[in-house]
Amino acid sequence: MPALLDRVCALPVLDQYRRTVVPLARGRVLEVGFGTGLNLPYYAVDRVEHLWGLDPGLEMQGRALARIAESGLDVQLIGCSGEEIPMQTDSIDTVLVTYTLCSIPDVTQALGEMRRVIKPGGRLLFSEHGLAPEPGVQGWQHRLTPPWRAIAGGCHLNRDVPKMLRESGFRIDRLEQGYFPGMAGWFKPLAFNSWGVATPQ
């Protein structure tokens, strides 16, 4: 599964979204769902004081360590899930999540933890696939999510990303949405993406 997830998340179609949100990270950064470190090439090294990479998948750390060594960043890996972040309240300038909220079992708890650790004036950067706007596509997303979860590491196709953020106490300051280029025509249920910037209220 780690190798498969690494290949899927490394698809070139996702690069444009990583290039948009990851360079906005600054200061003390917590990346939730660090995985194998696919976001590392997109950080602005001169703007990041320290990076904590949180992920329960310890089996992925081998791949992550190789990328860390090439990144030029000061990185510390934390082997746990987003529902219980072992960091002090108001201690983080930037939380980053990319293609992670879909698979966290208790995503509401995890977003609450992210909100807790962000400093006043800090930000949450996100790029996540999720619920599409069209009812017909939504129907397929709801039907496909149970079998998809079983084969894709718990990934949900039907989570409403902006709604989850707002209900967890975030204000969305910037939101862009759309289908992955080249995928809207053949697999819409997997291809609707939301990306942007949010701040705790």
Side-chain angles (χ1 to χ4, degrees), residues 23 34 41 65 93 131 158 173 181 188 190 194 200:
F34 187 78
L65 289 171
D93 297 295
L131 192 68
N158 59 351
D173 301 311
K188 279 189 172 183
L190 181 60
S194 299

Side-chain angles (χ1 to χ4, degrees), residues 2-24:
L4 176 61
L5 289 175
D6 189 53
R7 289 187 179 185
V8 171
C9 291
L11 289 172
V13 71
L14 303 183
D15 286 351
Q16 63 178 301
Y17 306 106
R18 299 185 193 278
R19 292 180 190 277
T20 298
V21 300
V22 178
L24 301 177

Side-chain angles (χ1 to χ4, degrees), residues 18-114:
R18 299 185 193 278
R19 292 180 190 277
T20 298
V21 300
V22 178
L24 301 177
R26 67 177 189 276
R28 293 162 58 87
V29 180
L30 171 65
E31 182 177 335
V32 177
F34 187 78
T36 61
L38 288 171
N39 285 323
L40 286 170
Y42 305 105
Y43 280 102
V45 177
D46 58 340
R47 299 183 66 185
V48 176
E49 176 185 337
H50 187 81
L51 170 63
W52 286 268
L54 186 146
D55 201 294
L58 298 178
E59 68 276 8
M60 292 191 277
Q61 286 193 359
R63 291 171 180 263
L65 289 171
R67 289 183 171 126
I68 289 170
E70 299 173 353
S71 70
L73 291 162
D74 184 13
V75 183
Q76 178 182 345
L77 298 179
I78 304 174
C80 67
S81 65
E83 290 94 340
E84 295 185 13
I85 298 175
M87 307 192 76
Q88 293 183 350
T89 299
D90 298 341
S91 62
I92 296 296
D93 297 295
T94 307
V95 171
L96 173 74
V97 284
T98 61
Y99 310 107
T100 296
L101 297 180
C102 62
S103 59
I104 297 177
D106 190 342
V107 69
T108 300
Q109 173 69 20
L111 284 169
E113 280 288 274
M114 295 179 213

